[in-house]
Structure formats: structure tokens, C-alpha cells
């Protein structure tokens, strides 16, 4: 994604392009609910100056082909995320405990897809 | 050229959408940020979609076998009926958004009035278009406020854009014989009655944007009658119509 500072205006006049500011539009993570009854799903991210603009940009970037009925925009900095380095400690213990996975049951055909 | 006022009126609606749609599409790939690039392209596509409806209907009304494509690509400057405002060059991003806002505010008022048109087909096109234009206006007025009440640089550019484009606002509200015929038939409103609401809306938005509306209400005219387009339209058409001029009736 581009930021306002790094891109050139297609100007009517030559504007001196000064040093890039340290600030730029914040990054927003966008979640869209495709149909009533389903949950919101992460579809991507974009830059916007504020929440209202983030929703508008999301409408244009991600729902153009009628994908959504509801949009959430969350400022990326507000998301708490697990760290990739902790992968081992967090997830590996689950790998060798096969009994935690319900793979030993024969599921009758009549049940259908689960 | 037909002189049927209904054909003229439909060409005016269609040509406004066509010329502005093409202008906005010129930003594709070069807008200041990716998000705006996509938003502008979406808006251009909305306008081209509306063009197909208006000019398609114009072709049927004319009954001379011309469809929307023929009207868009096989007419020369003097046959275009768009207002002068929409053919003005993009300039910088602020100028493009100011032009958009000044047009959207009129466009939505016009389409809203057309929903009550005595012509059911026109009413249906207006209703569909009004939904799209409601969003265009929301977006363009937000941008005008954001940039007008932004940094010193963005404020200066927006004021310059407003000063440059204001003389093209008046034409949208000047009626002529075509408008009188449309009003008598209950097809479209008298352009002048839309002015009060427009001034209110534009005044509020410009105030929020800390921009000063020029006092002089001088209005350039000649676009919607086709009498005198600005030099910019011809240049735009050489780009827009190039393929049809070089390879007449080419198809995919």
C-alpha cells in the first residue's frame, strides 16, 4: 500500500516534494461479513486518516463486487498479536497429543458433512 | 442533429456522466494513494454505467439507429451537451475532488428531482443513479472538508481549485428552451429551482472546509447547449475516441 508522503502528486504546478513526514495515514485491518449469519472475516488492510475514511476505503477496495453486508475496520496498532518466535511454545505441544483430535471415531454416513 | 428536446435532455444527462467519467478515469494508476485510485476508478465506472443508460435511451428516442456507443464515440465536440464544469482538466487531486463535489451536489439534486419524472424510464434511471451519486457526494464532500480544513498546503490548493471552478457552477442552473419543454412535460425540473438547495449544501460544506466561496457569480455557458465548449473537451475526445476514429466499428 502506498502512503500520501511517498507518492507524487500529478500536479498543476510543480510542488517541491519535501522530506517525507514521519507520520503517515495509519494502517487499518478490514473485516467483512459476506452474508447474514456468517462471521466477519479478515480480507486485508488499507491506509486511511480516520475510522470513517477507513470504512469508505474498505467499501471501495473490498466490497465493490457485492461481497459484503457489514464492514469492520480496526486500527492495526490496536490488534494484539502472538509473536512468531513463540510458535514452538504455543502450538507444538498440541502436535503429539493425538487423543485431542477426534480422529478415532467412525462417523456414520447418515450424519453427512461435519 | 435532432432537435427533439427530449433527445437533447437525455444527451445532456448522458454527456455529463460520460465526460466526467472519462476525466475521472484518467486518474487510474496515478492517484496519490492506492485507496483513492481504486475509489476514483469505481466512481468513473459508475458514471460510465449511467452514461450507457442515458445515451442508450437517447438513441431510442432519436430513432435513427444510434446506440450509446455510437453517440459516445461518433460525435464531435459541437454535438456534446455536457456542462463546461465536467470537461475541465483534472489538475491536481484537490482540483479533481473540488470539481467532483461541485458537480455531485447538483447531480444528486437533479437525479432526486428526476425520480418524480412523468417519464417512467427516466425516473427508473434516476433512481438507480441516485444511489451511486449519494455515495459520490458523501465521498467528495468529505474530501473537500478534509483537504480544505487540512494543512496550509492542502487548504491553499483547495481554495485555488474553488476559485478556478466556481465560474462553471452557474451553467448548471441556467435554463433554456430544452429545459422549458422538459418542465412543461413534467419530465424534469426547472434548473433554477435547484439553486437554493445547492447553495445551502455547498455553503455548509465549504464553511466546514474553511474555504471562501467566491463572491462573483459570473457563469461561463455554452456547454449544455453545445454552442461553445472549452478547448479541453476536444483534446479529451481525441483520447477517448481514438480507437473508434482509427479503426471505425472495431469490436472485441
Amino acid at each position: 500500500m502506498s502512503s500520501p508522503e511517498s507518492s507524487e502528486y500529478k500536479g498543476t504546478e510543480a510542488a517541491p516534494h519535501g522530506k517525507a513526514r514521519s507520520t503517515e495515514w495509519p494502517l487499518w485491518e478490514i473485516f467483512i461479513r459476506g452474508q447474514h449469519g456468517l462471521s466477519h472475516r479478515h480480507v486485508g488492510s488499507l491506509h486511511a486518516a480516520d475510522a470513517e475514511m477507513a470504512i469508505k476505503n474498505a467499501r471501495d477496495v473490498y466490497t465493490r463486487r457485492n461481497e459484503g453486508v457489514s464492514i469492520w475496520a480496526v486500527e492495526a496498532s490496536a490488534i494484539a498479536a502472538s509473536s512468531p518466535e513463540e510458535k514452538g511454545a504455543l502450538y507444538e505441544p498440541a502436535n503429539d497429543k493425538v487423543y485431542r483430535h477426534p480422529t478415532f471415531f467412525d462417523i456414520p454416513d447418515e450424519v453427512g458433512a461435519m | 442533429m435532432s432537435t427533439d428536446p427530449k433527445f437533447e435532455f437525455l444527451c445532456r444527462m448522458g454527456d455529463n456522466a460520460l465526460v466526467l467519467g472519462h476525466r475521472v478515469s484518467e486518474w487510474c494508476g496515478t492517484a496519490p494513494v492506492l485507496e483513492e485510485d481504486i475509489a476514483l476508478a469505481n466512481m468513473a465506472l459508475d458514471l460510465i454505467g449511467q452514461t450507457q443508460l442515458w445515451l442508450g435511451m437517447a438513441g431510442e428516442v432519436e430513432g435513427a439507429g444510434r446506440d450509446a456507443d455510437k453517440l459516445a464515440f461518433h460525435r464531435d465536440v459541437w454535438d456534446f451537451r455536457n456542462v463546461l464544469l465536467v470537461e475541465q482538466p483534472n489538475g491536481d487531486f484537490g482540483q479533481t475532488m473540488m470539481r467532483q463535489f461541485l458537480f455531485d451536489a447538483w447531480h444528486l439534486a437533479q437525479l432526486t428531482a428526476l425520480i418524480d419524472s412523468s417519464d417512467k424510464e427516466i425516473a427508473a434511471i434516476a433512481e438507480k443513479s441516485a444511489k451511486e451519486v449519494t455515495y459520490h457526494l458523501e465521498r467528495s464532500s468529505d474530501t473537500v472538508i478534509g483537504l480544505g480544513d487540512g494543512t496550509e498546503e492542502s487548504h491553499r490548493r483547495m481554495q485555488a481549485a474553488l476559485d478556478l471552478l466556481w465560474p462553471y457552477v452557474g451553467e448548471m442552473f441556467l435554463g433554456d428552451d430544452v429545459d422549458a419543454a422538459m418542465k412543461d412535460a413534467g419530465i424534469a425540473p426547472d434548473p433554477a429551482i435547484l439553486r437554493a438547495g445547492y447553495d445551502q449544501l455547498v455553503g455548509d460544506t465549504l464553511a466546514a472546509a474553511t474555504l471562501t466561496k467566491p463572491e462573483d457569480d459570473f457563469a461561463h455557458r455554452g456547454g449544455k447547449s453545445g454552442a461553445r465548449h472549452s478547448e479541453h473537451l476536444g483534446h479529451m475526445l481525441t483520447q477517448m475516441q481514438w480507437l473508434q476514429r482509427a479503426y471505425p466499428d472495431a469490436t472485441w
Side-chain angles (χ1 to χ4, degrees):
Chain A
M1 293 277 166
S2 54
S3 71
E5 287 74 25
S6 60
S7 52
E8 225 173 37
Y9 280 98
K10 183 181 170 188
T12 35
E13 55 181 34
H17 213 67
K19 214 168 58 172
R21 284 178 295 170
S22 57
T23 54
E24 63 174 22
W25 287 350
L27 188 67
W28 299 77
E29 299 298 335
I30 305 301
F31 300 81
I32 290 183
R33 189 174 70 192
Q35 293 170 35
H36 290 289
L38 295 182
S39 55
H40 285 74
R41 292 188 58 186
H42 184 239
V43 293
S45 56
L46 48 75
H47 287 94
D50 56 29
E52 208 181 317
M53 188 176 165
I55 298 276
K56 284 205 174 68
N57 284 345
R59 180 265 189 201
D60 276 313
V61 176
Y62 293 115
T63 71
R64 186 58 193 176
R65 289 168 197 89
N66 216 6
E67 292 94 336
V69 294
S70 167
I71 299 172
W72 285 351
V74 183
E75 204 169 338
S77 61
I79 293 180
S82 64
S83 142
E85 290 87 71
E86 293 168 22
K87 198 171 68 159
L90 282 178
Y91 310 118
E92 265 173 37
N95 286 346
D96 58 0
K97 298 184 179 62
V98 288
Y99 45 86
R100 284 188 176 166
H101 301 275
T103 53
F104 302 105
F105 303 98
D106 289 328
I107 299 178
D109 292 342
E110 298 83 56
V111 174
M114 280 192 82
Chain B
M1 196 78 195
S2 159
T3 50
D4 178 356
K6 193 168 169 184
F7 173 77
E8 289 283 312
F9 174 76
L10 291 166
C11 284
R12 290 175 180 187
M13 294 303 295
D15 289 345
N16 281 338
L18 173 61
V19 172
L20 186 60
H22 186 83
R23 276 289 184 229
V24 173
S25 80
E26 290 171 358
W27 276 102
C28 193
T30 63
V33 293
L34 184 58
E35 290 81 353
E36 289 296 343
D37 200 290
I38 295 171
L40 285 167
N42 283 344
M43 197 159 60
L45 287 172
D46 284 347
L47 290 167
I48 300 303
Q50 294 172 18
T51 303
Q52 287 180 324
L53 299 173
W54 291 122
L55 292 187
M57 185 179 173
E60 284 168 25
V61 166
E62 186 192 38
R66 295 199 284 184
D67 60 8
D69 285 336
K70 268 272 190 297
L71 288 169
F73 296 113
H74 290 244
R75 282 180 303 160
D76 213 332
V77 182
W78 46 80
D79 289 333
F80 273 74
R81 294 292 181 264
N82 56 283
V83 291
L84 297 172
L85 175 66
V86 295
E87 70 196 40
Q88 298 311 303
N90 287 341
D92 58 21
F93 178 69
Q95 192 177 315
T96 291
M97 294 312 288
M98 181 59 79
R99 183 188 63 201
Q100 192 67 40
F101 167 66
L102 294 173
F103 179 75
D104 288 344
W106 171 83
H107 200 196
L108 185 58
Q110 169 81 344
L111 291 171
T112 306
L114 289 178
I115 292 175
D116 297 323
S117 173
S118 63
D119 185 306
K120 294 292 160 252
E121 194 175 344
I122 288 177
I125 297 174
E127 193 172 356
K128 181 185 184 299
S129 306
K131 287 186 193 128
E132 297 171 342
V133 173
T134 299
Y135 181 73
H136 298 176
L137 177 60
E138 211 176 292
R139 190 164 189 111
S140 62
S141 53
D142 276 1
T143 309
V144 165
I145 293 170
L147 292 177
D149 187 19
T151 65
E152 205 178 307
E153 164 100 21
S154 71
H155 176 85
R156 185 182 62 74
R157 284 176 182 251
M158 292 312 275
Q159 185 65 52
L162 178 60
D163 294 345
L164 179 76
L165 295 172
W166 190 253
Y168 298 100
V169 165
E171 188 189 12
M172 297 187 284
F173 304 97
L174 295 174
D176 60 9
D177 292 349
V178 173
D179 293 308
M182 290 299 99
K183 179 174 173 284
D184 292 345
I187 291 177
D190 173 5
I193 65 154
L194 303 176
R195 183 82 207 223
Y198 182 89
D199 282 341
Q200 179 72 43
L201 177 89
V202 169
D204 290 350
T205 304
L206 294 180
T210 71
L211 296 170
T212 310
K213 192 164 96 173
E215 277 176 23
D216 192 349
D217 264 339
F218 168 76
H220 291 290
R221 60 177 83 188
K224 71 187 231 180
S225 67
R228 190 170 56 250
H229 281 285
S230 60
E231 65 172 296
H232 309 295
L233 182 61
H235 290 279
M236 195 198 95
L237 293 185
T238 59
Q239 299 285 319
M240 190 184 89
Q241 298 178 332
W242 172 83
L243 195 116
Q244 280 296 323
R245 288 169 187 254
Y247 306 98
D249 302 317
T251 55
W252 289 108

